[in-house]
Amino acid sequence: MLKILLETVRKAGGADLLDFISPSFFDVVSVGQSMALIGRLVNRALQPIPPQKIQTLQDFLDTQKLPLSIQASKSKNATPWNPSYDLTLAAPLDYGSVILKLYFSQIFGLSECVLDLRHQAFSHDNGHLVWTPQALFHQWDELFINAMREIYQGFYGGDMGLFRKGLAQLNLSTAEDLFLAHFGEGDQSQVSFTLSGFRKSFHDIFVHCKNHKIKLHADFLPLGILLGTLYENLSHLSHPLDVRKSFEDLVVNNR
């Protein structure tokens, strides 16, 4: 059944989006919950993004002061974005910052987010950065997203108490070191992104959960897709990125 669902998403235009899910994920989450969630993703992927949703998302991007527009389909003039293109709003480091802020803005500002941050979902049209995501949306469970916000705020704010509170909310206190490893060493001002690095860090968390008989929240599935597409996109950049600054600019300074 899972194979059929994944193939349906691909035929609907989802391409390799669900390939960002680690196979080990299904060892540590309720099969019923994960199948139901994938089913909802499939149903949404089969439909075009409604115009009213596009407008709502554009209004949100504008309030976040993110210099990009969202479209349901690429214009004929759109050209895939690449690091060598001299775009004022999307020079390599600026582009990476915009994508990071887009990720954090969805985690902190939306109850329903768009999961597709792949490199191929971004293009430039007459010098403007355009986001044309696949129609994969997910409505976060409130407990899950609040805990993830505490984890991020605790980590980047140097509040280990808040960081551990978020982990405890998700029954992941024993995986603290693995989450710290996922965020990376140092002050996160020089972070390089690789898809292989992301897959390993999430795989290690899933294996830990399996060994400790921890059942993960099903929302780790869409989070894995969202993070996986983020890492795939930023892996195209040869420059390390200041993740901490992007987080502080978007989350801390806008509070």
Side-chain angles (χ1 to χ4, degrees):
M1 182 63 176
L2 175 61
K3 183 178 180 180
I4 294 173
L5 285 172
L6 297 182
E7 187 60 29
T8 301
V9 173
R10 292 188 181 96
K11 288 181 179 178
D16 60 348
L17 271 172
L18 292 183
D19 288 335
F20 291 107
I21 303 170
S22 168
S24 57
F25 169 82
F26 297 99
D27 294 327
V28 293
V29 73
S30 163
V31 174
Q33 288 181 339
S34 59
M35 296 294 277
L37 202 162
I38 291 175
R40 289 194 295 273
L41 291 176
V42 169
N43 289 333
R44 289 166 184 161
L46 291 171
Q47 305 296 325
I49 303 177
Q52 64 269 25
K53 191 178 287 289
I54 289 287
Q55 187 58 57
T56 298
L57 285 167
Q58 186 62 62
D59 291 343
F60 173 74
L61 296 175
D62 293 342
T63 64
Q64 300 295 298
K65 300 179 181 179
L66 292 174
L68 72 159
S69 61
I70 182 169
Q71 295 180 1
S73 60
K74 283 188 173 67
S75 128
K76 293 181 179 178
N77 298 322
T79 304
W81 187 87
N82 65 77
S84 64
Y85 183 73
D86 185 18
L87 189 61
T88 303
L89 293 177
L93 291 179
D94 292 336
Y95 173 83
S97 176
V98 169
I99 302 304
L100 283 168
K101 290 176 182 178
L102 178 57
Y103 170 79
F104 285 127
S105 70
Q106 293 206 92
I107 293 293
F108 282 88
L110 294 175
S111 58
E112 181 183 59
C113 78
V114 185
L115 302 180
D116 187 7
L117 299 182
R118 291 172 299 172
H119 180 257
Q120 69 192 63
F122 293 86
S123 58
H124 60 84
D125 188 354
N126 294 321
H128 186 71
L129 189 61
V130 180
W131 181 29
T132 315
Q134 174 65 27
L136 282 180
F137 297 86
H138 177 67
Q139 182 82 33
W140 298 115
D141 174 74
E142 188 174 354
L143 182 150
F144 177 84
I145 198 60
N146 285 341
M148 288 306 306
R149 289 166 181 165
E150 290 177 343
I151 290 170
Y152 276 117
Q153 288 174 320
F155 179 81
Y156 287 109
D159 185 343
M160 290 304 293
L162 186 61
F163 175 77
R164 289 171 178 142
K165 179 186 173 187
L167 289 177
Q169 290 285 334
L170 299 175
N171 197 29
L172 287 168
S173 296
T174 59
E176 177 180 326
D177 289 345
L178 294 175
F179 272 82
L180 291 173
H182 170 73
F183 283 119
E185 299 179 349
D187 62 1
Q188 295 75 50
S189 64
Q190 295 282 309
V191 179
S192 295
F193 289 80
T194 67
L195 194 50
S196 60
F198 160 74
R199 284 175 169 150
K200 182 182 184 307
S201 66
F202 253 45
H203 175 74
D204 288 346
I205 291 171
F206 296 151
V207 169
H208 172 89
C209 291
K210 183 178 181 180
N211 292 339
H212 288 75
K213 296 181 172 53
I214 297 171
K215 281 295 183 182
L216 278 180
H217 194 291
D219 272 10
F220 271 104
L221 188 151
L223 179 66
I225 297 174
L226 182 61
L227 271 171
T229 61
L230 171 73
Y231 273 70
E232 182 277 333
N233 192 337
L234 298 182
S235 69
H236 289 268
L237 300 178
S238 58
H239 305 275
L241 298 173
D242 192 338
V243 180
R244 179 172 293 277
K245 185 177 187 304
S246 293
F247 177 86
E248 291 176 346
D249 286 348
L250 195 288
V251 180
V252 178
N253 297 337
N254 284 342
R255 293 179 67 187

